[in-house]
Amino acid sequence: MSVDFSLISQYSGQILDGFGVTIISWIGAVALGMAVGFVIAVLQLFTGRWVRAVLRVYIEVLRTTPFLVQLFILYYGGPNFGVSLSAMDAGIVSLALYGSAYFAEIFRSGFLSVPAGQVEAADCLGLSRISTIWRVQLPQMLVIITPALINMIIILSKETSVLSIITVPELTAVLTQIGSEQFIYVETTLVLCVCYLILVAITQKLGGWAELKASRYLQR
Amino acid sequence: MFDASTFTQALPLIMKASQMTIFVSVIGLMLGFVIAILVVTACLSPSAWVRRCGNFYTFLFRGVPLLVQLMLAYYFLPTLGINVSPLTAAIAAISLCEGAYLGEILRGGFMGIPRGQIEAAHMVGLSSAHTLVRIEIPQALKLTTPSLINEMILLIKASALISVVGVAEITRTAQNVAASTFRPLEAYLIAGLAYMLINGVLSIVGHYAEQRFGRA
């Protein structure tokens, strides 16, 4: 067996492009998924039993089916109900929906972790419900849920590799393509591993910093 | 919009494919558990170098997407002269990956056991191996039952990825049905339902197991 990286270095431009697509779809999915998840968690606080039941079903369906199947339903099955998205859009949207179910659960557990007395106290002081969430509940729960959020963000970064299956030109797709063009599967897969490891390691570092930032008010 | 005949056509095929999904997941889980015990032993070893190896294993297999690990098993092993079938590659990748995740879960469980228990076991004359089997492992399993059930559900879902190397499990079969009937929506919906069913059963059994064994 011989490993030769000279061939693959000619493709560094393409690999960087693929890395860019990976990062864009990842950040897009995280931003969208976190926003949807937060809205779902807040809705679960305010709405009646029926709406809550519907949201519960949404969360459970997305959490018990594989992401790949959800992706296929949206991308290949979407046109059947009038949703025709490009591979990239379908990828970002389905990754965001997948993530939103998990983010919603994380935010829900966060809301549960803040003592009810805090909300009552804020109510007595005349804070509106929205500013209670924003000023009282969110800062306190962030201390607790930041590690879980970071964990989910890291999971989503790896889940972007699945988008290669529906031909999104991200890192995995680009490197598999190069591998089959040049018959250098070993080199391309090793480069792929290193790229993802770097991505995960950086996210972990940033996550540690975010945890410090979230718990800063406790140290004052 | 919906075509009910695709459902009836695909149902027996998907049922049969579920067996493959469950087979791969169970074998992957069992092998993964063996690897996890090795990893957790390494991670909690007194020697710094062995600990570093264990941590590196965890970092490697948790940091690389399962899809990439699958491709590595499928393309990399043949270049070492080991010819693997898609099924072997899939099981290898899943168990290696699972080993890292289960290892982390078990590590949490082992660290949750108070140090005094182990000291007490030594005081009453139990050997180290005996302490591990009789004192540590039962308690670690109790502490980690919910996470283990959760990991099993994640594993069933992760097994959808092995469709990529051509193992005929639920997702692969649904792809074939979609290609032959031109009804992708129905094919993938039924696949989704199959996964929900398996995971639903798992979480009910898990809930029961948790009440039975956990929190004693």
Side-chain angles (χ1 to χ4, degrees):
Chain A
M1 192 193 91
S2 61
V3 177
D4 177 15
F5 286 100
S6 58
L7 260 177
I8 203 169
S9 56
Q10 297 166 12
Y11 290 94
S12 46
Q14 281 187 37
I15 295 173
L16 275 180
D17 286 347
F19 210 22
V21 174
T22 291
I23 297 209
I24 289 170
S25 47
W26 173 44
I27 292 180
V30 166
L32 195 58
M34 224 189 247
V36 175
F38 186 71
V39 169
I40 291 175
V42 172
L43 280 179
Q44 278 180 323
L45 289 181
F46 287 127
T47 52
R49 189 162 13 132
W50 288 107
V51 180
R52 271 216 303 278
V54 170
L55 293 174
R56 202 65 245 158
V57 170
Y58 170 87
I59 291 173
E60 289 308 324
V61 166
L62 286 175
R63 289 208 315 167
T64 50
T65 50
F67 171 58
L68 183 61
V69 172
Q70 294 167 17
L71 189 61
F72 281 165
I73 289 177
L74 185 67
Y75 185 58
Y76 295 120
N80 271 24
F81 47 90
V83 182
S84 301
L85 295 171
S86 71
M88 179 83 173
D89 293 343
I92 293 179
V93 168
S94 60
L95 194 58
L97 292 180
Y98 177 72
S100 74
Y102 286 91
F103 282 127
E105 284 293 88
I106 296 173
F107 282 121
R108 192 176 66 93
S109 73
F111 278 118
L112 288 178
S113 72
V114 178
Q118 296 265 348
V119 181
E120 284 160 14
D123 204 24
C124 287
L125 289 172
L127 265 71
S128 72
R129 200 65 191 84
I130 300 289
S131 58
T132 309
I133 289 178
W134 200 249
R135 297 289 184 105
V136 178
Q137 286 174 292
L138 199 58
Q140 295 194 68
M141 69 194 234
L142 272 182
V143 180
I144 295 166
I145 64 173
T146 303
L149 288 177
I150 302 299
N151 194 25
M152 195 57 217
I153 290 171
I154 290 177
I155 290 176
L156 287 182
S157 80
K158 294 187 294 166
E159 214 70 55
T160 55
S161 68
V162 175
L163 301 189
S164 66
I165 299 173
I166 59 159
T167 69
V168 176
E170 46 72 79
L171 197 57
T172 310
V174 168
L175 278 160
T176 322
Q177 173 82 24
I178 297 169
S180 43
E181 269 171 22
Q182 301 285 353
F183 296 104
I184 45 171
Y185 295 112
V186 178
E187 289 84 348
T188 52
T189 321
L190 286 176
V191 169
L192 202 47
C193 288
V194 171
C195 287
Y196 280 110
L197 284 177
I198 292 173
L199 193 60
V200 169
I202 291 176
T203 320
Q204 258 170 358
K205 275 272 173 301
L206 288 177
W209 175 78
E211 268 174 54
L212 277 184
K213 196 96 176 147
S215 60
R216 201 174 47 177
Y217 79 92
L218 290 178
Q219 277 131 32
R220 261 182 217 151
Chain B
M1 192 175 91
F2 270 116
D3 182 18
S5 68
T6 315
F7 271 104
T8 47
Q9 216 179 327
L11 196 61
L13 293 170
I14 299 282
M15 292 272 269
K16 200 158 178 302
S18 310
Q19 293 171 4
M20 181 56 101
T21 290
I22 293 172
F23 172 75
V24 172
S25 306
V26 169
I27 300 283
L29 188 72
M30 276 159 37
L31 290 177
F33 210 82
V34 174
I35 296 172
I37 288 177
L38 294 177
V39 170
V40 79
T41 317
C43 282
L44 298 175
S45 133
S47 149
W49 277 105
V50 178
R51 265 207 312 275
R52 228 162 272 164
C53 288
N55 289 336
F56 182 70
Y57 180 93
T58 313
F59 172 67
L60 196 64
F61 283 92
R62 291 208 314 170
V64 174
L66 180 61
L67 183 63
V68 176
Q69 292 177 33
L70 263 173
M71 297 202 288
L72 203 59
Y74 196 54
Y75 296 123
F76 189 80
L77 290 179
T79 60
L80 295 174
I82 309 165
N83 268 319
V84 287
S85 68
L87 186 60
T88 320
I91 290 177
I94 282 197
S95 9
L96 287 171
C97 181
E98 232 17 58
Y101 281 97
L102 289 173
E104 274 303 281
I105 292 174
L106 287 182
R107 193 166 69 101
F110 278 112
M111 293 201 333
I113 301 171
R115 182 96 202 102
Q117 297 239 354
I118 296 153
E119 284 162 7
H122 283 304
M123 288 306 279
V124 295
L126 291 179
S127 68
S128 289
H130 221 125
T131 313
L132 186 69
V133 174
R134 288 302 187 85
I135 310 286
E136 290 188 78
I137 289 180
Q139 293 197 73
L141 283 181
K142 245 175 220 171
L143 283 172
T144 54
T145 310
S147 327
L148 288 177
I149 302 293
N150 195 26
E151 190 56 39
M152 279 184 213
I153 291 175
L154 288 178
L155 173 60
I156 295 276
K157 296 201 299 169
S159 75
L161 285 182
I162 64 175
S163 61
V164 174
V165 293
V167 178
E169 42 69 77
I170 296 176
T171 309
R172 186 69 180 187
T173 309
Q175 273 175 308
N176 292 342
V177 171
S180 61
T181 59
F182 298 106
R183 310 291 307 184
L185 181 63
E186 287 84 351
Y188 294 126
L189 278 182
I190 199 168
L193 284 176
Y195 282 108
M196 276 170 66
L197 201 68
I198 297 175
N199 286 332
V201 170
L202 246 181
S203 86
I204 291 168
V205 171
H207 200 74
Y208 177 74
E210 214 177 296
Q211 284 183 337
R212 185 78 203 276
F213 308 116
R215 313 256 164 265

